[in-house]
Amino acid sequence: MIHLSPLAVPDGGTVGVFTPSDQVGGPSRRGLERGERILRTAGFDVLFADHALDEASQPVADIASRISDLEQLLCNDRVTALIASRGGKGSNGLLSHIDYALFSKARKPVIGFSDVCVLLNAITASTGLTTFYGPNVLSHLHESNHSDLRALRIAHPPQMLTHPKSQSIRPGRMEGRLVGGNLSTFTVSIAGSRFQPQVECPIFFWEAGSRDWRLISQYLNALLVRGVLQGFAGMLIGRIGIECDLAPLELEFLKGLLKSVDVPVLYMPIFGHGPAENPVLPIGGRVVLDATEHQVIFDEALVLARDSVA
């Protein structure tokens, strides 16, 4: 699989907002306005795609409108990055209708959270372009220390993530490329399909919006039954539910679920649905997972300088 880095977001660049899952309306609109203010304060212009603010007239917006919005933002030369308005359910309905060549040609960073991980992994699987699991405009942008998208603005040297509540599930160190996102939507929508990125030494990162251990068990066992879990070279686990700490019994239960996984596994609640730092995590990007020292090191810059590409 060829790996393609997106281009850095310039200072004062325009961020295009799209809605690939649940529509935005009612009380959600206030959260979206708050996120827009955060982006503008960080120095960005904000452009909403034509249907990004459509009111919910049905459970999920029609596919043609959502595809049109993606194409509009990808083909607009003013737009230098795409960020999802929110998650929800329904991104998987887009996967067979997308012109993935537009993403390769534009090389714009694409950012999303929760259900949007389905779209992000599919883009990376189909093009090799690194995509980013990070805060949506409506949810979590106001909680994140990375709402200015700093990691995507310049070609940074390698960075390191740590968290005081990290716990080693299985010690060890592995270098590989990240795949994953939200455990439920990844498992239900793309795991084991052609839309799961086939990268060397895949390191599976996941978080869960609920601390329902029956569901966690169900999803992890589904990955095991499909033969997907056995293909990962490492695992990075974010928040499970909104709480940060794992109780001793919960830790032991998680270790039991993963007893057949003989790879480094690190619990690091730095990302997830609860209030968290939520740095952008590069799907398809190379990292070093050190479950012994409780570290994740980005082994390469997340973006390329815009003047480095002809």
Side-chain angles (χ1 to χ4, degrees), residues 186 191-193 196 198 202 219-232 261:
F186 181 91
S193 76
Q196 177 184 325
Q198 300 302 307
Y219 295 137
L220 290 175
N221 279 304
L223 294 176
L224 185 66
V225 168
R226 295 179 200 170
V228 174
L229 202 63
Q230 300 90 315
F232 295 131
V261 179

Side-chain angles (χ1 to χ4, degrees), residues 14-211:
T14 297
V15 175
V17 179
F18 65 105
T19 301
S21 299
D22 288 0
Q23 292 172 287
V24 179
S28 299
R29 189 64 65 90
R30 290 192 292 273
L32 195 64
E33 291 169 352
R34 175 188 58 201
E36 179 185 1
R37 288 195 299 270
I38 291 171
L39 289 171
R40 292 190 183 279
T41 300
F44 297 112
D45 283 334
V46 179
L47 174 67
F48 289 93
D50 287 345
H51 303 284
L53 300 177
D54 284 356
E55 293 285 347
S57 57
Q58 51 187 344
V60 179
D62 68 276
I63 289 173
S65 295
R66 289 181 283 160
I67 293 294
S68 173
D69 280 1
L70 283 172
E71 293 179 352
Q72 173 196 353
L73 298 178
L74 289 168
C75 295
N76 186 330
D77 290 339
R78 284 181 51 218
V79 175
T80 55
L82 281 67
I83 183 168
S85 64
R86 66 178 304 175
K89 302 274 191 302
S91 287
N92 59 354
L94 304 179
L95 302 189
S96 298
H97 302 274
I98 291 173
D99 182 354
Y100 290 99
L102 292 177
F103 288 91
S104 301
K105 181 180 179 181
R107 296 184 72 166
K108 300 176 182 182
V110 185
I111 309 141
F113 190 77
S114 194
D115 182 64
V116 190
C117 81
V118 174
L119 176 61
L120 301 176
N121 281 274
I123 293 168
T124 299
S126 302
T127 66
L129 182 70
T130 299
T131 55
F132 300 98
Y133 194 70
N136 294 323
V137 179
L138 187 153
S139 55
H140 305 297
L141 192 66
H142 65 291
E143 300 167 346
S144 174
N145 297 341
H146 299 262
S147 58
D148 59 357
L149 308 182
R150 70 194 68 164
L152 306 183
R153 297 177 85 152
I154 61 172
H156 278 281
Q159 307 168 65
M160 182 171 67
L161 300 180
T162 61
H163 194 280
K165 300 292 187 179
S166 295
Q167 298 190 60
S168 180
I169 306 296
R170 185 181 292 273
R173 180 182 171 96
M174 177 59 65
E175 180 176 345
R177 293 187 180 272
L178 291 176
V179 299
N182 178 261
L183 179 63
S184 63
T185 54
F186 181 91
T187 303
V188 169
S189 295
I190 57 172
S193 76
R194 64 188 177 93
F195 296 115
Q196 177 184 325
Q198 300 302 307
V199 297
E200 66 273 18
C201 295
I203 295 176
F204 180 43
F205 75 94
W206 61 269
E207 52 82 23
S210 167
R211 193 169 285 199

Side-chain angles (χ1 to χ4, degrees), residues 165-170 211 213 237 240 245-258 265-267:
K165 300 292 187 179
S166 295
Q167 298 190 60
S168 180
I169 306 296
R170 185 181 292 273
R211 193 169 285 199
W213 290 103
I237 304 172
I240 301 172
D245 291 297
L246 284 180
L249 285 177
E250 291 175 320
L251 181 61
E252 290 307 310
F253 183 75
L254 187 56
K255 287 181 177 180
L257 286 176
L258 299 173
V265 181
L266 176 64
Y267 173 72

Side-chain angles (χ1 to χ4, degrees), residues 8 26 39 42 49 94 164 179 188 218 234 268 289 301-302 306:
L39 289 171
L94 304 179
V179 299
V188 169
Q218 183 181 47
M268 179 183 283
L289 171 69
L302 302 187
R306 301 183 72 83

